[in-house]
Amino acid sequence: MKVLVTGGAGYIGSTTAAELLRRGHEVVVLDSLVRGHRAAVPTGAAFVHGDIADRSVLVPILAEARFDALVHFAAFAYVGESMSEPAMYLDNNVARSLVLFREALSHGVRRIVFSSSCTVYGLPARLPLDESHPKAALSPYGASKIMCEQALRWFADATPDLSAVALRYFNAAGATEERGEDHDPETHLIPLAIDAAMGHSEPLVIFGDDYDTKDGTCLRDYVHILDLAEAHALSVEAGDHEGFHAYNVGAGRAYSVREVLAEIEAVSGRPVPFKVGPRREGDAPALFAGTELIRDRLGWRAKFSSLARIVSDAVRWHPQSSTASVDRGE
Ligand code: UD1
């Protein structure tokens, strides 16, 4: 199939583009490079530099390529930044996505896969989080994901042959040989803790150790980017899949912050210096996915998402580790 991947210079987008190529699809990456890295775009994918809402860029590529599928990653993804810059998030993540969706639909694209997040659920009322859990945005970032999902639901209602899939990621983590996490600024636990272990940053601050969990720190569901990439590929390839579908993509189990630090110490052979700080506003004590739906509908299950595999791949790839590659994704 011919697949347009927006945000294909980012961490998850570039890994998915590589997986689609590996499976024999033709891939065009559209990325503004505002947050992504040109070097992360896989060899074999055509690259177009531009914004998803710039019709002077978008319309010619849609008209020429006649894509079978759109996989839409391009978005801002910092919860904290979205609280201080809500208009920027609503403009970039919602308004611009609507331009993209509208143009893609009018050019005959009938498969859309959208990068959503478990943040759509807000604070969990029950665990594991299944897809029918009520949605509650705690930030403009979360709201932007809910709004795009809702738009896709309406588009699917109005377009009987459209398959629209929202993949609600839990904590994307890990690396491949070529790609890993490289956000600026970095806010995610695993790369920050590896940095601290390598002595290239201040000690990690654990955001609270007084939660009602086994060791007092928050529990999260870490899912390897190779598993995430496969979930996108299966969504693109699914047959008899018309309508709107939202699937959780997580490993279905949770690890505490302290367990993650212990694994980094075991893999790297270096202690992770840390301090315990106050809780971070908006953090749920525990989040993990129910994944029955994606397993039943797409045959997906996590294969690479053990904590040992995630951490060993992240440490191997990390810029400060001796074997780090230069080809880095957001
Ligand atoms: C965050 C977002 C989530 C988004 C996801 C992927 C928030 C509240 N949630 O998830 O919406 O979908 O990223 O981009 O921002 N931690 C520390 N010290 C640190 C960093 C993290 O203790 O310096 C802890 C956090 O409290 C959390 C865990 O580590 O319990 C993971 O944090 P992080 O990597 O930031 O991801 P989430 O906050 O779970």
Side-chain angles (χ1 to χ4, degrees), residues 94-277:
V94 183
R96 291 175 197 233
S97 291
L98 292 180
V99 173
L100 172 71
F101 291 150
R102 192 170 176 193
E103 291 298 340
L105 288 170
S106 74
H107 284 86
V109 174
R110 289 297 179 264
R111 289 162 192 255
I112 297 178
V113 183
F114 173 63
S115 175
S116 189
S117 165
C118 68
T119 197
V120 298
Y121 299 120
L123 291 174
R126 59 174 190 265
L127 289 167
L129 282 157
D130 62 76
E131 289 83 350
S132 66
H133 186 283
K135 295 195 276 302
L138 300 177
S139 68
Y141 168 65
S144 77
K145 296 298 177 187
I146 294 175
M147 289 182 208
C148 284
E149 286 198 11
Q150 185 60 57
L152 288 172
R153 191 183 291 273
W154 282 319
F155 297 152
D157 286 349
T159 318
D161 54 347
L162 175 66
S163 164
V165 180
L167 296 178
R168 295 174 181 163
Y169 318 149
F170 282 67
N171 289 61
T176 65
E177 292 290 320
E178 298 85 18
R179 296 178 180 79
E181 212 163 352
D182 185 18
H183 301 100
D184 184 18
E186 189 54 80
T187 62
H188 293 104
L189 176 65
I190 294 176
L192 285 177
I194 296 172
D195 247 347
M198 300 296 166
H200 289 99
S201 65
E202 296 295 304
L204 181 88
V205 178
I206 295 180
F207 296 144
D209 70 349
D210 57 352
Y211 287 94
D212 185 17
T213 58
K214 55 190 168 188
D215 61 19
T217 64
C218 291
L219 304 173
R220 291 290 180 275
D221 182 338
Y222 297 91
V223 57
H224 198 294
I225 49 165
L226 279 173
D227 285 325
L228 279 177
E230 191 191 16
H232 292 81
L234 291 172
S235 301
V236 164
E237 293 163 358
D240 291 331
H241 205 251
E242 287 74 23
F244 174 79
H245 306 271
Y247 299 126
N248 287 340
V249 197
R253 63 175 170 256
Y255 294 101
S256 73
V257 173
R258 285 189 189 279
E259 286 173 322
V260 170
L261 302 195
E263 190 64 37
I264 291 171
E265 294 190 1
V267 167
S268 68
R270 299 170 188 232
V272 179
F274 69 89
K275 302 190 280 207
V276 177

